Amino acid sequence: MDSIHIRGGRRLKGSIPVSGAKNAALPLMTAALLTDEPVKLTNMPRLADVRTLSKLLGVIGADISVESGTDSDVMTLHAKDIKSTTAPYEIVSQIRASFWVLGPLMARCREAKVSLPGGCAIGARPVDLYIKGLQKMGAEIDLVEGYVHASAPKGLKGAVIRSPIVSVGATHTLLMAATLAEGETVLENAAREPEIGDVARCLVSMGAKIEGIGTSTLRIEGVEKLHSATHRVIADRIEAGTYAIAAAMTGGEVTLEGANAEDFEAALSVLRAAGAEVESEQGAVRIARNGERLQAVDVVTQVFPGFPTDLQAQFMALMTVAEGESEITETIFENRFMHVQELARFGANISLHGDKALVHGVDKLKAAPVMASDLRASAALIIAGLAAEGETTVNRVYHLDRGFERIEAKLSACGADIWREKAKQ
Ligand code: UD1
């Protein structure tokens, strides 16, 4: 398996192009199953998760072609005929978002057999909300040998579905299911993450009738049929936030090209509170830190527009060298502190108390060999390595390749001393 090596201590200076959002690209790809006409997605990131989901959509019956541009791909998905309504364990266990084919398959084919999901091991991550929502829309659902068997022989019916907690995946799934259901569906307490808005806008271009985009109540009036559309994937706010934190960690100055500040304002305001300079303009965000040490800031992860759980590990890496003590509370996933023991290998001083981590800033980190435990935690280890004294090796980087496009190339273009060592065959 490849590893990434970093000789820490260099300031980052320059521009980083922000890729298309993984968490929008994946559900947008599944939305292509809703129509027998081609759907064209531009600004697609080149990620392992995109390739894994392509495999699954191919098995289901989508023809997929990819044109490579300089910074992104254009992907055309054409699900003219659905060949199979089964999403097998071998693929769904690799990436959780592939479970989301459940929604479009139920809408278009009225049946689906989808393996229970896998993905990052960051908590129990149940699927009860997806199941209850589809049941309210008239689906019959059984769990058989690790698979969700769902069917609605007479088609899905509109319903009012109030979710007890906000779930991104359940919102994507029920939104897509509702586009072709009979009558009106109202999703209350829906997720408002920017990626949901992006998917909803694509669905509207495909002919769906959706009101309330960007709010926590989505009203969907089912239509007979959806059609072809071309859609540009929004910028990845988590990738942008990760590089913003890396810039604050190393000092220097980085411009995030293509980033939309509104999509990660909570993270930017925390960085400002810690002492970083943040300026945003149309289509770019600039982060700078002069030589001074950052101040510790407390953070609580929340659903959008709160501080995203997907930046919690990276922010913790930053706080390991801040002045003072930072309390980081994780409210979304119950097991999302696996990076703590790896950060400790750099000499970080962190203690865990249930859903809180107390980070006592130290003067400096020292390089260490570390192991990536999940996608966003891998990025936290890279951030720590960029500031640590000596040479850090991050092992098991396949997690990184799932969600960050060419991270070592983007960082080295800004002056970081970072390179990838290919696994020996
Ligand atoms: C998505 C994102 C992930 C992000 C997360 C929260 C993608 C591909 N993944 O994951 O990067 O960290 O949103 O912003 O977009 N829950 C239930 N029952 C359910 C569904 C969820 O209890 O049926 C719980 C989960 O265990 C978790 C919380 O709801 O505690 C939020 O999870 P959810 O928003 O569904 O996360 P994902 O969609 O899996």
Side-chain angles (χ1 to χ4, degrees), residues 22-23 96-97 100 125-130 165-169 309-310 332-333 336:
K22 168 182 91 77
N23 286 356
R96 181 172 174 90
W100 301 351
R125 301 183 93 173
V127 293
D128 54 315
L129 302 173
Y130 301 65
I165 50 172
V166 175
S167 161
V168 171
T309 173
D310 284 352
I332 310 288
F333 292 111
R336 206 169 201 183

Side-chain angles (χ1 to χ4, degrees), residues 22-24 26-27 49 95-100 117-118 120 122-132 163-173 191 193 195-196 237-238 302-304 307-311 330-334 336 375-376 402:
K22 168 182 91 77
N23 286 356
L26 300 175
D49 273 8
I95 130 179
R96 181 172 174 90
S98 56
F99 183 75
W100 301 351
C120 282
I122 54 177
R125 301 183 93 173
V127 293
D128 54 315
L129 302 173
Y130 301 65
I131 291 177
K132 283 185 193 132
S163 183
I165 50 172
V166 175
S167 161
V168 171
T171 305
H172 279 309
T173 303
E193 269 60 9
E195 295 77 18
I196 305 268
R237 65 194 166 103
I238 303 302
Q302 265 153 1
V303 296
F304 189 83
F307 188 94
T309 173
D310 284 352
L311 286 175
E330 173 58 55
T331 70
I332 310 288
F333 292 111
E334 71 278 14
R336 206 169 201 183
L375 170 54
R376 307 305 178 183
R402 286 187 41 212

Side-chain angles (χ1 to χ4, degrees), residues 9-16 238-257 264 268 271-272 274-279 285-294 311 314-315 317-319 321 379-380 382-387 407 410-411 414-416:
R10 300 261 193 110
R11 296 179 146 224
L12 294 181
K13 202 161 178 20
S15 288
I16 297 184
I238 303 302
E239 190 201 24
T242 300
Y243 290 125
I245 292 171
M249 183 77 166
T250 62
E253 188 181 325
V254 168
T255 301
L256 303 165
E257 284 178 17
F264 62 124
L268 292 175
L271 284 173
R272 272 193 208 100
E277 276 173 40
V278 179
E279 278 171 27
V285 174
R286 193 184 68 92
I287 311 284
R289 172 166 78 83
N290 56 30
E292 278 178 35
R293 205 171 162 192
L294 291 181
L311 286 175
Q314 298 89 314
F315 188 74
L318 179 66
M319 289 295 99
V321 288
I382 301 263
I383 288 170
L386 287 172
I407 193 167
K410 290 188 183 186
L411 287 169
C414 288

